[in-house]
Amino acid sequence: MIKTPYLLFLGDAPDALAAKVAQGIKDWRPDNAVGQFRLENCKADLGLTDMSLEQAKAAGAKTLVIGVANRGGVISNAWLDVLETALAQGFDIASGLHNLLRDEPRLVAAAEKHARELHDVRVPSVDYPIANGIKRSGKRCLAVGTDCSVGKMYTGLAMDREMQARGLKSTFRPTGQTGILITGGGVPLDAVIADFMAGSVEYLTPDNDADHWDHIEGQGSLFHVSYSGVTMALIHGGQPDALILSHEPTREHMRGLPDYQQPSLEALRDMALALAKVANPNCVVAGISVNTQHLDDAASAKYLAEIEDRMGLPTVDPFRNGAGRLVDALAEL
């Protein structure tokens, strides 16, 4: 088990979105976030107290969590001195990067010397089966996005929280490093061998009560040429009964791909639903989740109303305004 609370390491994140792992922990498990540690040229700020390692240790932090999700998931050379010092000062370290802590000789040696733990949460711990496509009992909801990092995880967490508050049967099913760090378990889907990805999602969402909803954490985008594979695995392995379309309206281009533009919500609806019906012919699009964090209240309300009028589906920012209308839509299925 990863010891809490955390000191969130933002390193030299070039923008706020690059620190989405730390942001997710801060937003959904604030009691676990003692403070943030930033290098001099860091452009991200969670609004937490900036702390040195010594200050964080005195405040009770037990684990330094690498809260950065950079392209390729690489541990920067600029970070190694800080990470090694943290181990020496009694911190464990947790990371969801593809560049594993256990593959860094300096960190392995320091952890052994100081009797500390290295937690690589993006390492599959189960021998997952190949997907069989057999229909499972219970119900499943999946958020699919026009792009990466548009709020799919927040949508699932918000819907699960709303259902739990109503006394309904619901579970959030993490499929990425942030969700795993928030909840303590899940499948690191993008680290699973391709042939077993859909099977790992089947494993994550087993048979359940007929009135139980699994909210599967979405990943990637069908329209993102770098990360579409994980989305396909979620759609076919998850066999969703409901899709939630997720969008962030202020992007100038696809995340990390300046030559590619985001699809329309109509294009996402048509493509995702057709693919979902391969595994579950009864799947429907239940609603739309829009990440309006970069819009003021008036602009957000106007944009949501315009999308709802255009698409004919309940359209909300579930983190800003609550997920009640999306949960209401599921109740009608």
Side-chain angles (χ1 to χ4, degrees):
M1 294 294 293
I2 301 174
K3 300 183 184 71
T4 58
Y6 304 144
L7 173 63
L8 301 178
F9 178 73
L10 307 189
D12 47 7
D15 54 34
L17 195 54
K20 67 176 186 177
V21 176
Q23 186 71 56
I25 294 170
K26 183 251 186 180
D27 286 343
W28 293 97
R29 293 293 185 270
D31 292 345
N32 286 348
V34 166
Q36 63 185 20
F37 184 105
R38 300 188 292 166
L39 297 178
E40 184 176 351
N41 56 344
C42 182
K43 300 298 191 300
D45 185 354
L46 305 180
L48 296 172
T49 302
D50 285 296
M51 291 185 173
S52 66
L53 294 174
E54 293 81 5
Q55 290 169 332
K57 194 67 180 174
K62 294 181 171 60
T63 302
L64 179 73
V65 172
I66 296 178
V68 185
N70 54 22
R71 188 171 176 84
V74 178
I75 296 176
S76 164
N77 288 332
W79 303 354
L80 282 175
D81 288 341
V82 175
L83 301 181
E84 190 173 18
T85 301
L87 291 165
Q89 294 189 7
F91 288 90
D92 293 341
I93 299 177
S95 170
L97 296 173
H98 287 296
N99 184 179
L100 302 180
L101 299 170
R102 68 187 187 190
D103 290 339
E104 291 293 335
R106 286 175 59 184
L107 300 182
V108 172
E112 183 176 351
K113 178 179 178 180
H114 302 288
R116 307 318 309 166
E117 297 290 334
L118 300 176
H119 299 280
D120 287 303
V121 302
R122 218 174 194 155
V123 176
S125 58
V126 174
D127 290 329
Y128 298 115
I130 292 176
N132 58 35
I134 296 172
K135 180 63 178 175
R136 306 185 294 286
S137 59
K139 298 180 179 180
R140 290 158 191 85
C141 181
L142 172 68
V144 291
T146 54
D147 196 0
C148 299
S149 304
V150 293
K152 300 182 292 293
M153 181 189 74
Y154 277 55
T155 299
L157 284 164
M159 293 180 73
D160 175 56
R161 182 165 65 184
E162 176 67 18
M163 293 191 77
Q164 297 275 355
R166 297 185 187 188
L168 302 174
K169 298 175 184 177
S170 175
T171 306
F172 176 70
R173 302 293 189 180
T175 61
Q177 73 270 29
T178 308
I180 292 171
L181 285 164
I182 289 170
T183 65
V187 170
L189 185 59
D190 61 6
V192 175
I193 294 173
D195 276 358
F196 301 95
M197 286 197 298
S200 74
V201 182
E202 289 186 350
Y203 175 92
L204 182 67
T205 57
D207 286 315
N208 218 313
D209 295 340
D211 57 347
H212 178 281
W213 279 94
D214 275 340
H215 297 279
I216 307 170
E217 181 185 359
Q219 299 290 338
S221 169
L222 290 170
F223 292 84
H224 199 293
V225 297
S226 303
Y227 306 119
S228 56
V230 289
T231 315
M232 276 296 304
L234 286 163
I235 289 173
H236 285 167
Q239 296 182 2
D241 298 276
L243 297 175
I244 303 295
L245 309 182
S246 298
H247 181 56
E248 202 280 84
T250 68
R251 299 273 177 89
E252 295 182 357
H253 54 75
M254 297 288 277
R255 176 71 172 165
L257 299 176
D259 295 328
Y260 288 80
Q261 295 299 310
Q262 296 93 333
S264 67
L265 284 164
E266 288 87 348
L268 173 63
R269 175 198 62 200
D270 295 345
M271 179 178 286
L273 186 58
L275 291 170
K277 284 180 175 294
V278 171
N280 183 355
N282 296 318
C283 183
V284 301
V285 176
I288 300 173
S289 169
V290 181
N291 176 357
T292 65
Q293 64 175 318
H294 298 304
L295 303 177
D296 63 27
D297 288 344
S300 171
K302 181 175 183 290
Y303 187 84
L304 294 173
E306 289 173 350
I307 294 296
E308 181 158 342
D309 183 64
R310 191 179 96 209
M311 300 290 292
L313 291 165
T315 303
V316 302
D317 182 329
F319 189 69
R320 187 174 198 163
N321 308 123
R325 296 183 64 223
L326 298 179
V327 171
D328 291 342
L330 296 189
E332 297 176 2
L333 300 180

